[in-house]
Amino acid sequence: MDPQPSQPDATQSHASREALRDLVEPLYRAKFWMQLIGILMILGGVISALSIVGLLVAWIPVWAGVVLMQAAGATQRAYDSSDAREMRFAMGKLKTYFTIFGVLALIYLVLGIGGMMIGLAGFGMMGGMHF
């Protein structure tokens, strides 16, 4: 069983806190973009809920946006406190975000291809009509 990292205190060496801070710094610098994309995902989900088909999948971008906002918050806390648990939490939230986004991308791809097929079928049917 792996020992749980402790809160940064006198028992955690300065070198390990600095190493953790160096590891989380790239995510910390991307925190603004994580928050922006999270907000845009939530707004996109709300807007897509306005249509019948979008209502079925609108919860997915909202969920992804919330998860990304949680990752940004955990990244801030990990950077500020050099807490390995917060860094692990942030990385777990990013994993969840990319999983959700992958499923969302597949759903949109299937809907897009389905819409094109229906459009092509309708266009083909119109081509057979004689006026």
Side-chain angles (χ1 to χ4, degrees), residues 66-128:
V66 168
V67 167
L68 199 54
M69 295 292 288
Q70 290 172 338
T75 298
Q76 174 75 48
R77 291 188 301 274
Y79 185 79
D80 289 343
S81 67
S82 298
D83 187 355
R85 288 178 292 188
E86 288 293 345
M87 183 175 170
R88 182 177 172 87
F89 181 77
M91 298 302 281
K93 289 297 179 180
L94 284 175
K95 177 218 168 260
T96 302
Y97 168 77
F98 284 113
T99 302
I100 296 167
F101 195 81
V103 170
L104 181 65
L106 287 173
I107 289 170
Y108 283 158
L109 184 65
V110 167
L111 289 175
I113 290 172
M116 286 191 302
M117 298 296 271
I118 291 170
L120 288 174
F123 185 70
M125 290 172 51
M126 286 180 63

Side-chain angles (χ1 to χ4, degrees), residues 28-50:
Y28 176 75
R29 288 187 296 165
K31 184 178 69 89
F32 168 79
W33 296 106
M34 286 192 285
Q35 291 172 330
L36 178 65
I37 293 170
I39 291 168
L40 292 176
M41 294 286 293
I42 292 168
L43 289 175
V46 169
I47 291 170
S48 70
L50 299 176

